[in-house]
């Protein structure tokens, strides 16, 4: 007997990788009548350390999908390239004393070798590299188009400056106020830089998110980052000055409550107001101190806010001409809104804390309104309501520090004594009367009112009507326990409880009652909700939400939309990046480099260390910098800032469609065929950088007719991290990096592929365990050994045959849903069943290989070849599920036409659509339906079908 050949993964995997490369089976062409499927990975930044086992997770998933789609009859584009400009490569080069271009070539070669051994089906003929001049020529070209359209501008505003990386950063490059790259605390520093008006596209970036098949968390991240706010822009003139302060607010209804204004310490207006500021040295010292703080330190919730009064400076409130003091404070940022805030401490928590700290006035202009929205006593919108003024009575015990509270039985309210104020009755009189009626206590004294009215909308269950109540808080103290008998009716409505002072707030369950108690305790806080206008002149008594436009107009303001999103700082003061194709001419100003001169190549230099002065190392290269103006031919200087790392990654997916085109960014026909990307896979960390930048860049190209779709990526999938064996993120710093080369050498690429897809749900983070690789390896070896049971023909158990078709169906569905772990689990279950069979027929075994092919491409092709096939399994068709075999036991269904018996359908599929369709196809039924209109189809599950026909 011949000894079974063992599974030698090293020999088999090298064999098939060589065969695939030689045959070119993964090359993609547009000359196909098949439907297209564009499956894309976020291309890697090739670092010097190479891949660790966490990196391939997303690549394996897209490879599985690409192979499945190709076998399912699609023309698949599945490319790979390199995002190789930017700080990481430059820092690596500086550290290792090697030129960035040499380092990048070395790193790319290493990455490509590591990816190749994993058996990916990339079309390497479409490989792109952002550092290739023939690639970045079109990055520069796109920038020039934006420049022509007025989307770029030169700025000298303070930007995020990383003192360690010695370069400017966009807001998107920060992590809690620190440089995302190196972790250094970022400073604000005025630097000359180029900026792109991404905010011009903010509305479209926001609106178009809704149509994308992206994870909700990513869409929410983008929405929050874009941060659209509708509000009003109001102008406060400066007393005895030509200057004015413009503020943006979403609450113009509170303008009569402004008691001070706040400017950002960096505001240019502060310098302009210097002659009026009597305490300039104190102000100047504060500005220097604030410059040392991070944005997070300045704005984080709970952080103490500090400021300085601009002594001698007053702003004029446009609503009432009142003079209000002007401050600078660390919690106001120059690059957010207008860099100024109108402070309404009564109705803004941050302003309230600041006002209390510096003893500034607090003026209430919104009386609170609480609307009950849940429960049986919820206010019923659209139903008439009764308006009523009422007294709310806080009542102290005569000898203990306890307070009288009521439990309303029907309403389930826990609160104080409350009752309506009758005509010609004061609130105090009403309180005394209600206390006697509801509790029986008669000997009491009135102490004080508890602030202005509190309003509430609710459904009064006792009266069975909507109420709009206006509560007036009163504080009473009982003199003694004198008490009269209360009626049975009152006893039925509520119970009386005496509650300690410490427990009252927890006892209360009605918002207006809680506010009344807070006022009694003297616990002041801002009311930030809507309500009824007060202390606001002609607007008094109006609903605050209804007067936004009216009060804005009254103050001479305008309704505007603002965004948290800032314009994109597009300059880096470093060497390793795309040169910005502009020149500076003393006579002509800023002039674009002619398109015919693109690419403007990065000069090859020996020294490329950052200067730290705010200028790029390119500024020192006189031969490169000094040039002629394209317009006047006079002396000019090249722009020496380079583009950020994110420039090249904004459009790389388009270049994959047409990577060798020297005449245009992408051929319109090829773009129209392949666009948009059908499935895009990458990490969640790119939600507010690459994905926003790429969407903006794409929309601009759409506007100028380069692309045919307004969005680049239809579906987005995010892979969860593979953590180190210690549960931490894999990093050389933690010493927990696992090299995929070692794993492949020991267990094989197919085992690694199966393990990473089987670890858990695709989006879930999970820790690596090399020991668990053994299970994946054993699964592969079992498939290998199963071929020893294969015969040309064999009869499977009925349940095994059913399981086979269930597996075909589920694996196909799971691959498309990125449920790879359950797809593999399903195949394992099928393998278990096949191993119990005496023999397995060739067709069944080959079906198993076809299902495995996307996951274990080397194993599948080897076994397919051993089954006698000359062509690769990866150009075969995906197996078809026989729906009739999905159920073990068949049953008979009676078929009727107009209630008369006409035939029987025997099936094991009870799905209505299948049963109706199969019944119509039966020969004996067709003759009764031919030429007639079916006006009704009746299906009694597993028993009866009746076609009601006319004609």
């Amino acid at each position: 007997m011949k000894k079974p050949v063992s599974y030698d993964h090293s020999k088999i995997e090298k064999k098939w990788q060589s065969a695939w490369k030689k045959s070119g089976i993964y090359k993609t062409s547009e000359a196909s009548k098949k439907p297209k499927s564009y499956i894309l990975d976020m291309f890697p930044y090739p670092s010097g350390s190479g891949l660790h086992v966490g990196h391939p997770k997303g690549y394996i998933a897209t490879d599985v999908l690409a192979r499945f789609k190709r076998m399912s009859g699609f023309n698949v584009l599945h490319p790979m390239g390199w995002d190789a400009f930017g700080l990481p490569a430059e820092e690596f080069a500086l550290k290792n004393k090697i030129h960035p271009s040499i380092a990048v070539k070395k790193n790319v070669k290493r990455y490509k070798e590591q990816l190749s051994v994993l058996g990916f089906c990339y079309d390497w003929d479409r490989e792109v590299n952002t550092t290739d001049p023939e690639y970045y020529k079109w990055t520069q070209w796109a920038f020039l188009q934006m420049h022509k359209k007025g989307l770029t501008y030169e700025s000298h505003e303070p930007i995020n400056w990383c003192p360690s990386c010695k370069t400017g950063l966009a807001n998107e490059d920060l992590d809690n106020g620190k440089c995302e790259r190196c972790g250094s605390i970022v400073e604000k520093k005025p630097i000359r830089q180029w900026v792109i008006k991404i905010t011009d596209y903010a509305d479209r970036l926001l609106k178009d998110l809704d149509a994308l098949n992206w994870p909700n968390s990513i869409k929410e991240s983008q929405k929050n980052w874009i941060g659209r706010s509708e509000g009003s822009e109001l102008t406060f003139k400066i007393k005895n000055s030509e200057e004015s302060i413009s503020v943006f607010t979403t609450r113009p209804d509170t303008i009569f409550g402004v008691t001070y204004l706040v400017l950002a310490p960096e505001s240019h207006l502060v310098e302009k107001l210097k002659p009026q500021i009597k305490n300039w040295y104190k102000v100047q010292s504060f500005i220097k101190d604030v410059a040392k703080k991070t944005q997070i330190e300045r704005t984080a919730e709970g952080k103490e806010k500090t400021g300085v009064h601009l002594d001698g400076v007053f702003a004029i409130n446009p609503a009432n001409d009142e003079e209000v003091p002007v401050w600078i404070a660390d919690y106001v940022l120059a690059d957010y809104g207008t860099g100024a805030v109108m402070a309404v401490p009564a109705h803004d928590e941050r302003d309230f804390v600041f006002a209390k700290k510096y003893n500034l006035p607090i003026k209430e202009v919104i009386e609170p309104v609480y609307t009950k929205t849940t429960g049986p006593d919820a206010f019923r919108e659209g139903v008439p309501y009764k308006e009523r003024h009422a007294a709310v009575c806080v009542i102290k015990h005569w000898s203990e520090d306890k307070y009288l509270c009521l439990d309303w039985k029907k309403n389930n309210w826990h609160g104080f004594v409350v009752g309506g104020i009758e005509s010609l009755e004061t609130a105090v009189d009403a309180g005394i009367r209600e206390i006697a009626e509801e509790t029986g206590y008669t000997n009491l004294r009135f102490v004080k009112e508890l602030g202005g009215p509190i309003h509430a909308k609710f459904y009064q269950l006792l009266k069975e009507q909507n109420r709009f109540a206006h509560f007036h808080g009163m504080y009473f103290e009982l003199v003694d326990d004198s008490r009269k008998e209360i009626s049975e009716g009152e006893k039925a409505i509520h119970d009386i409880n005496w509650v300690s002072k410490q427990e009252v707030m927890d006892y209360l369950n009605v918002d207006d009652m809680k506010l009344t108690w807070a006022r009694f305790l003297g616990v002041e806080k801002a009311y930030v909700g809507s309500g009824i206008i007060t202390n606001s002149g002609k607007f008094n008594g109006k609903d605050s939400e209804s007067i936004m436009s009216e009060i804005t107009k009254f103050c001479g303001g305008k309704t505007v939309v603002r965004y948290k999103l800032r314009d994109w700082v597009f300059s880096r003061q470093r060497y390793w990046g795309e040169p910005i194709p502009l020149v500076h001419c003393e006579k002509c100003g800023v002039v674009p480099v002619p398109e015919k001169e693109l690419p403007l190549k990065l000069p090859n230099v020996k020294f490329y260390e950052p200067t730290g002065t705010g200028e790029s190392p390119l500024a020192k290269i006189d031969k490169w910098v000094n040039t002629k103006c394209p317009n006047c031919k006079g002396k000019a200087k090249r722009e020496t800032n380079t583009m950020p790392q994110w420039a090249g990654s904004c459009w790389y997916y388009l270049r994959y469609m047409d990577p060798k085109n020297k005449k245009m960014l992408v051929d319109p026909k090829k773009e129209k065929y392949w666009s948009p990307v059908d499935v895009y896979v990458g990490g969640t960390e790119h939600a507010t950088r690459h994905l926003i930048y790429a969407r903006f860049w794409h929309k601009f190209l759409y506007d100028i007719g380069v692309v045919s779709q307004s969005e680049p990526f239809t579906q987005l999938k995010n892979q969860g991290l593979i953590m180190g064996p210690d549960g931490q993120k894999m990093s050389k710093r933690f010493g927990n990096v696992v090299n995929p080369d070692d794993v492949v050498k020991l267990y094989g690429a197919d085992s690694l592929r199966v393990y990473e897809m089987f670890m858990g749900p695709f989006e879930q983070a999970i820790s690596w365990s090399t020991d668990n690789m053994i299970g994946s390896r054993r699964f592969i070896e079992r498939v290998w050994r199963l071929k020893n049971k294969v015969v040309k023909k064999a009869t499977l158990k009925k349940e095994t045959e059913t399981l086979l078709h269930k597996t075909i169906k589920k694996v196909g569905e799971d691959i498309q849903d990125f449920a790879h772990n359950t797809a593999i689990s399903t195949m394992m279950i099928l393998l278990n069943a096949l191993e119990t069979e005496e023999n397995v027929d060739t067709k069944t075994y080959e079906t198993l290989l076809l299902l495995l092919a996307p996951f274990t491409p080397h194993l599948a092709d080897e076994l397919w070849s051993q089954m006698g096939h000359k062509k690769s399994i990866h150009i075969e068709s995906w197996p078809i599920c026989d729906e009739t075999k999905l159920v073990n036991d068949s049953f008979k269904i009676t078929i009727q036409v107009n209630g008369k018996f006409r035939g029987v359908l025997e099936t094991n599929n009870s799905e209505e659509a299948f049963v109706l369709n199969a019944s119509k196809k039966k020969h004996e039924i067709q003759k009764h339906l031919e030429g007639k209109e079916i006006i009704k189809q009746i299906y009694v599950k597993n028993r009866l079908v009746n076609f009601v026909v006319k004609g």
Side-chain angles (χ1 to χ4, degrees):
M1 185 175 176
K2 192 175 180 182
K3 186 179 179 181
V5 179
S6 63
Y7 174 62
D8 184 346
H9 66 262
S10 179
K11 181 180 178 182
I12 290 169
E13 288 171 0
K14 286 178 183 177
K15 168 187 173 182
W16 287 105
Q17 287 163 16
S18 175
W20 297 333
K21 185 176 180 179
K22 186 177 179 181
S23 65
I25 66 168
Y26 302 137
K27 288 184 179 179
T28 306
S29 170
E30 292 77 21
S32 172
K33 293 183 179 179
K34 297 178 181 179
K36 67 93 180 178
S37 183
Y38 187 175
I39 300 163
L40 181 66
D41 298 296
M42 290 186 186
F43 65 167
Y45 199 104
S47 68
S49 56
L51 294 169
H52 61 63
V53 291
H55 291 125
K57 182 177 179 180
Y59 307 152
I60 295 170
T62 56
D63 193 70
V64 169
L65 180 61
R67 290 178 180 278
F68 167 76
K69 284 288 187 180
R70 190 177 288 112
M71 294 171 75
S72 299
F74 286 82
N75 186 26
V76 175
L77 175 56
H78 185 45
M80 179 50 76
W82 317 103
D83 184 16
F85 263 136
L87 284 174
E90 189 172 320
E91 292 292 340
F92 177 85
L94 287 167
K95 182 179 178 181
N96 293 279
K97 301 188 183 328
I98 181 174
H99 195 278
S101 62
I102 298 172
V104 163
K105 286 179 183 176
K106 182 179 177 182
N107 295 345
V108 164
K109 183 181 178 184
R110 172 75 178 128
Y111 265 58
K112 195 168 179 180
E113 287 171 352
Q114 288 185 294
L115 290 175
S116 296
V117 299
L118 293 175
F120 294 132
C121 62
Y122 295 128
D123 180 356
W124 286 109
D125 285 352
R126 293 175 181 260
E127 178 183 1
V128 300
N129 187 317
T130 58
T131 67
D132 180 355
E134 288 305 310
Y135 179 90
Y136 70 69
K137 167 184 178 178
W138 299 106
T139 309
Q140 293 173 333
W141 176 86
F143 176 86
L144 288 181
Q145 309 317 305
M146 293 180 195
H147 187 72
K148 290 176 186 176
K149 296 291 185 181
L151 282 173
T152 67
Y153 61 95
E154 194 175 21
S155 170
H156 293 78
E157 296 293 316
I159 64 164
N160 305 308
W161 176 263
C162 177
S164 176
C165 295
K166 297 179 182 178
T167 189
L169 302 172
N171 283 351
E172 291 80 8
D173 295 317
L174 305 187
D175 182 9
N176 289 329
K178 297 179 181 179
C179 173
E180 186 271 341
R181 163 86 186 133
C182 71
S184 298
I185 295 174
V186 170
E187 303 168 355
K188 286 290 184 181
K189 187 174 180 179
I191 295 286
R192 181 189 69 81
Q193 76 275 329
W194 283 95
V195 182
I196 293 179
K197 295 180 183 177
I198 191 173
T199 52
D200 282 10
Y201 282 72
D203 252 341
R204 288 166 63 185
L205 289 169
L206 192 61
K207 178 176 173 288
D208 292 352
L209 276 171
D210 292 334
L212 297 177
N213 183 11
W214 287 19
N216 286 332
S217 59
I218 300 296
K219 294 203 280 189
E220 283 303 310
S221 293
Q222 292 214 351
K223 287 177 182 179
N224 293 336
W225 192 260
I226 295 167
R228 187 182 192 275
S229 297
E230 292 184 14
S232 301
E233 192 172 287
L234 305 169
T235 301
F236 290 71
K237 294 180 179 178
I238 302 295
K239 184 180 178 182
N240 301 323
S241 172
E242 295 297 315
E243 302 295 338
S244 61
I245 299 174
S246 176
V247 302
F248 170 78
T249 178
T250 59
R251 294 297 302 272
D253 54 321
T254 65
I255 191 168
F256 283 88
V258 173
T259 58
Y260 63 99
L261 257 66
V262 189
L263 293 173
E266 306 90 344
S267 171
H268 293 307
L269 190 55
V270 177
E271 186 72 32
K272 290 180 180 179
L273 294 171
K274 181 178 178 179
Q276 288 180 245
I277 301 173
K278 297 177 183 178
N279 58 339
W280 177 251
Y281 291 108
K282 187 176 181 180
V283 170
Q284 194 174 39
S285 175
F286 179 78
I287 292 171
K288 289 179 180 177
D289 288 342
V290 171
K292 299 173 186 176
K293 296 181 181 180
T294 68
Q295 182 171 321
I296 294 297
E297 288 175 323
R298 290 173 60 176
T299 61
E301 190 174 336
K303 290 279 186 180
E304 186 178 10
K305 311 296 188 267
T306 60
V308 172
H309 176 214
L310 302 184
D311 192 7
V313 179
F314 293 90
I316 309 300
N317 189 328
N320 54 16
D321 291 331
E322 284 184 1
E323 295 179 9
V324 294
V326 180
W327 287 64
I328 56 173
D330 56 1
Y331 71 84
V332 179
L333 305 176
D335 60 353
Y336 189 76
T338 63
V341 169
M342 66 175 214
V344 187
H347 304 293
D348 182 275
E349 291 173 356
R350 182 185 54 185
D351 296 341
F352 178 84
V353 171
F354 192 85
K356 294 297 286 185
K357 178 176 180 177
Y358 291 103
N359 199 29
L360 296 167
I362 299 173
K363 180 181 177 184
E364 183 184 39
V365 292
I366 306 286
E367 294 175 353
V369 174
Y370 295 102
T371 302
K372 194 76 168 63
T373 58
T374 59
D377 58 338
F379 187 75
R380 303 181 183 186
E381 297 292 344
V383 176
Y385 61 83
K386 185 171 182 178
E387 204 162 348
R388 188 87 186 271
H389 285 267
V392 178
C393 307
V394 176
I395 307 160
K396 185 180 181 297
H397 195 274
W398 56 91
S399 63
E400 299 180 68
D401 197 13
K402 290 187 175 181
Y403 296 84
L404 193 153
C405 296
L406 299 180
D407 285 357
W408 275 269
K409 298 174 183 178
K410 191 170 183 179
N411 295 60
N412 193 30
W413 292 343
H414 297 169
F416 302 118
V417 171
V418 60
I421 302 171
E422 306 298 341
S423 62
L424 304 179
E425 190 177 39
T426 66
V428 176
D429 292 339
I432 293 171
R433 174 177 52 76
E434 288 291 341
I435 293 169
E437 289 178 5
E438 296 186 4
T439 72
Y441 290 105
T442 55
N443 194 4
L444 66 161
R445 65 185 182 88
F446 170 69
V447 181
K448 64 178 180 179
E449 292 186 8
L450 300 175
I454 301 170
H455 311 276
K457 292 181 177 181
F458 57 92
Y459 185 78
Q460 172 55 276
L461 290 168
L462 292 174
K463 305 294 184 181
E464 295 185 343
Q465 61 183 202
N466 261 348
R467 282 284 178 87
F468 187 11
H470 313 291
F471 294 122
H472 301 264
M474 305 286 153
Y475 172 44
F476 294 91
E477 291 180 350
L478 293 178
V479 177
D480 54 34
D481 62 352
S482 301
R483 192 178 183 194
K484 69 174 187 178
E485 185 68 24
I486 60 175
S487 70
E488 291 301 319
E490 289 292 345
K491 289 179 182 179
I493 294 172
H494 40 59
D495 293 328
I496 296 172
N497 290 300
W498 287 99
V499 182
S500 69
K501 191 174 187 176
Q502 293 75 20
E503 296 172 336
V504 170
M505 186 59 84
D506 290 334
Y507 174 87
L508 301 172
N509 66 356
V510 184
D511 288 336
D512 47 86
M513 301 284 186
K514 289 181 179 181
L515 180 55
T516 299
W517 180 247
R519 287 178 173 180
F520 166 73
L521 295 175
V523 178
E524 295 183 80
K525 62 178 184 178
Y527 173 72
V528 298
S530 57
I532 295 175
I533 298 290
T534 188
N535 298 320
S536 300
K538 71 174 189 174
F539 298 99
N540 286 347
K542 294 187 176 183
D543 173 60
S544 62
E545 290 186 342
S546 68
I547 64 160
M548 300 294 191
S549 297
E550 184 183 355
I551 208 164
T552 299
K553 187 177 180 181
F554 173 78
C555 296
K558 59 183 178 180
T559 301
V560 295
V561 174
R562 288 281 184 269
Y563 299 92
K564 177 185 170 186
L565 179 71
R566 299 291 88 197
D567 279 338
W568 183 7
V569 176
F570 201 70
S571 290
R572 296 294 180 269
Q573 292 71 34
R574 299 293 294 245
Y575 166 72
W576 192 239
E578 300 93 335
I580 295 175
L582 299 171
V583 300
H584 298 265
C585 173
E586 290 185 8
K587 181 179 177 182
C588 304
V590 177
V591 181
V593 170
E595 290 179 19
K596 65 182 180 181
E597 294 182 15
L598 298 180
L600 174 59
K601 293 184 179 181
L602 192 65
N604 192 9
V605 296
K606 282 188 177 181
F607 303 103
Y608 46 87
E609 290 80 2
T611 64
T613 63
E615 287 293 334
S616 160
L618 294 177
K620 297 185 293 185
I621 307 172
D622 292 338
K623 186 177 180 181
W624 186 82
V625 171
N626 295 319
T627 186
K628 290 183 178 180
C629 172
N631 284 351
C632 69
K633 308 305 178 185
K635 291 182 179 180
K637 291 185 178 293
R638 295 194 187 281
E639 172 58 56
T640 56
N641 283 336
T642 53
M643 296 183 189
Q645 175 187 343
W646 307 100
S649 64
C650 279
W651 66 279
Y652 72 107
Y653 55 93
L654 295 171
R655 194 62 176 174
Y656 284 139
M657 301 174 185
D658 194 12
K660 304 294 191 294
N661 198 323
K662 294 182 179 294
K663 295 182 179 180
M664 58 185 68
L665 186 149
V666 61
D667 180 88
K669 289 183 179 179
K670 293 180 179 180
E671 185 280 328
K672 192 170 183 179
Y673 175 74
W674 287 116
S675 284
V677 173
D678 295 288
V679 181
Y680 195 25
V681 175
T684 57
E685 67 273 17
H686 297 295
T688 53
R689 282 195 288 182
H690 162 62
L691 289 173
I692 282 183
Y693 293 152
R695 292 182 64 224
F696 154 72
W697 200 284
H698 190 91
K699 287 180 182 299
F700 171 74
L701 294 178
Y702 176 75
D703 289 348
I704 63 172
V706 174
V707 297
S708 59
Q709 306 282 333
S710 63
E711 283 286 340
F713 317 120
T714 302
Q715 183 180 14
L716 176 69
K717 286 286 184 180
N718 301 126
Q719 76 271 24
L721 291 175
I722 293 181
M723 315 299 281
D726 56 1
Q728 298 186 84
K729 185 175 180 179
M730 280 198 190
S731 170
K732 288 172 68 178
R733 182 174 49 159
F734 300 132
N736 61 356
V737 170
V738 179
N739 190 324
D741 298 358
D742 299 333
V743 177
V744 170
K745 186 177 181 181
L746 187 60
Y747 294 101
D750 283 347
S751 295
L752 174 64
R753 290 168 64 104
V754 169
Y755 175 58
E756 294 211 1
M757 293 298 94
F758 188 55
M759 291 176 83
F762 183 65
E763 298 84 1
Q764 180 179 303
I766 194 164
S767 296
W768 175 269
S769 171
T770 301
D771 290 343
N772 289 345
M773 282 286 302
I774 296 170
S776 299
R777 170 70 184 204
R778 284 175 178 164
F779 171 61
I780 286 172
E781 289 178 344
R782 287 168 58 201
V783 174
W784 179 265
R785 290 195 299 270
L786 186 65
K787 73 176 186 294
N788 296 323
K789 280 193 172 189
V790 175
V791 295
K792 191 170 183 181
K793 290 185 179 181
T795 302
L796 299 177
K797 298 169 190 171
K798 194 169 185 180
E799 55 266 31
T800 304
E801 187 178 19
T802 297
L803 180 62
L804 174 66
H805 288 276
K806 284 183 175 180
T807 304
I808 294 170
K809 181 179 176 69
K810 182 159 178 57
V811 171
E813 291 172 346
D814 283 352
I815 288 174
Q816 295 176 90
D817 291 339
F818 280 69
H820 309 94
N821 58 326
T822 56
I824 293 170
S825 175
T826 302
M827 288 188 286
M828 288 178 173
I829 292 169
L830 175 62
L831 178 60
N832 291 341
L834 292 175
E835 287 176 329
T836 66
E837 299 284 344
E838 185 177 347
N839 288 300
V840 176
D841 63 282
T842 300
K843 186 177 180 182
T844 296
Y845 187 61
E846 290 183 348
T847 298
L848 175 63
L849 297 180
L850 289 166
L851 296 176
L852 279 166
F855 297 91
T856 58
H858 311 88
L859 171 77
D861 235 346
E862 175 64 20
L863 290 172
W864 190 255
S865 173
Q866 290 185 23
M867 298 303 290
H869 297 281
K870 302 300 182 185
K871 294 182 179 179
S872 171
I873 193 172
H874 301 296
I875 58 175
E876 294 292 332
S877 295
W878 187 254
I880 296 172
C881 167
D882 186 344
E883 298 278 349
T884 64
K885 294 182 179 178
L886 292 181
V887 181
N888 284 324
D889 299 319
S890 64
F891 43 87
K892 294 180 180 180
I893 296 175
T894 299
I895 307 173
Q896 297 178 345
V897 178
N898 285 345
K900 293 182 180 180
F901 173 81
R902 297 300 184 189
V904 173
L905 173 70
E906 186 169 353
T907 181
N908 53 14
N909 187 340
S910 63
E911 293 181 9
E912 182 174 359
F914 171 81
V915 170
L916 291 173
N917 191 45
S919 297
K920 291 175 191 174
K921 289 182 177 178
K922 289 186 73 66
H923 175 72
E924 63 269 33
I925 304 301
Q926 285 181 342
K927 63 183 180 181
H928 294 286
L929 298 179
E930 191 174 354
K932 296 176 182 177
E933 179 188 354
I934 300 175
I935 57 176
K936 193 172 184 180
Q937 300 180 135
I938 300 168
Y939 174 49
V940 180
K941 191 171 182 179
N942 298 350
R943 291 175 56 196
L944 173 74
V945 168
N946 182 24
F947 297 108
V948 181
V949 301
K950 183 172 71 173

